[in-house]
Amino acid sequence: MIIELSHRITEGMTTYPGIPGPVLGTHLSREDSREVYAEGTEFHIGTITLTANTGTYLDTPYHRYAEGPDLSQLPIERMADLPGLVVRAEGRPSVGLDLLRELDVRGRAVLLHTGWDRHFGTDAYLREHPYLEPEAAAWLAEQGAALVGIDSLNIDATPPKGERPAHTLLLAAGIPLVEHLTGLARLPVSGFRFHAAPPMIAGLGTFPVRAYAVVRAA
């Protein structure tokens, strides 16, 4: 079974405060294409202008560190076909080490299920969101998690001009992040493979992904 874990990208949507929404356009309309192709044959070629941090997206180390690997340099095995593990943290303001220390996270995509995705597209999503505590981020880096994802606004707390310890610690360890996930409630705690690979774009540190999980039959 395949479970969708991404938000739809729609024109003008707000993903993060202050980041402009995507703009959709048309390079070649179906009507104009009739002048290019044989009778009865038509195509649509669209355009999109968007900030790389739109919808459900992946952060590479380059997002935080100038010398880190970008989208074109991060190995595909760090983003696709990873054994997954869900950490249930619904109703908690943050994800602490107490939820993690008994888990085997090495080589796994660790997905933090806060339930905050229920607010996506509303003002509530942008305020007082759950996040990963610094000590927990350091532990995940030390234990060798392959990827860390969360279904809220940011994996870090987001006060004005605040530090971003989870980004700093995890990306320094080469661990990619996926933010704004959705649908984690549908996943089992384990027994699935996680995929969230973006295009290979040189010089960018983040980009939207089609995140999904493949759950093995019981």
Side-chain angles (χ1 to χ4, degrees):
M1 178 172 59
I2 299 175
I3 296 180
E4 178 69 63
L5 302 176
S6 297
H7 291 287
R8 294 176 67 235
I9 293 177
T10 59
E11 181 155 23
M13 68 184 285
T14 297
T15 299
Y16 193 92
I19 292 181
V23 178
L24 302 178
T26 302
H27 170 70
L28 182 68
S29 68
R30 298 187 186 279
E31 294 74 18
D32 290 343
S33 77
R34 295 169 190 163
E35 303 298 321
V36 179
Y37 302 102
E39 184 176 354
T41 303
E42 62 183 34
F43 295 93
H44 176 269
I45 300 176
T47 63
I48 184 168
T49 301
L50 82 168
T51 304
N53 292 43
T54 296
T56 302
Y57 55 81
L58 179 137
D59 293 347
T60 69
Y62 184 77
H63 177 50
R64 175 67 175 81
Y65 299 102
E67 69 280 8
D70 63 19
L71 294 167
S72 69
Q73 297 165 328
L74 191 67
I76 189 70
E77 56 266 24
R78 299 306 301 265
M79 304 174 283
D81 199 26
L82 295 166
L85 180 67
V86 174
V87 177
R88 304 292 185 199
E90 296 168 275
R92 294 176 57 123
S94 60
V95 181
L97 188 54
D98 60 306
L99 292 179
L100 302 174
R101 58 165 53 97
E102 301 301 323
L103 303 177
D104 178 10
V105 301
R106 185 167 300 278
R108 292 187 167 193
V110 180
L111 309 181
L112 310 177
H113 173 213
T114 71
W116 205 248
D117 56 324
R118 68 185 181 276
H119 298 302
F120 190 82
T122 72
D123 288 342
Y125 186 76
L126 311 178
R127 303 189 305 270
E128 299 179 355
H129 61 90
Y131 62 92
L132 180 65
E133 295 176 10
E135 296 80 5
W139 186 87
L140 286 168
E142 292 167 1
Q143 295 298 312
L147 176 149
V148 181
I150 194 168
D151 60 355
S152 75
L153 180 75
N154 200 293
I155 201 164
D156 278 302
T158 55
K161 295 189 176 182
E163 296 180 348
R164 297 291 189 270
H167 280 84
T168 297
L169 292 162
L170 293 169
L171 293 176
I175 300 171
L177 310 175
V178 181
E179 295 172 310
H180 310 279
L181 286 163
T182 188
L184 297 183
R186 299 181 59 201
L187 291 179
V189 170
S190 60
F192 64 92
R193 310 291 292 190
F194 179 75
H195 304 256
M200 293 178 66
I201 303 175
L204 282 185
T206 65
F207 205 77
V209 293
R210 185 73 180 263
Y212 63 94
V214 180
V215 181
R216 67 182 180 219

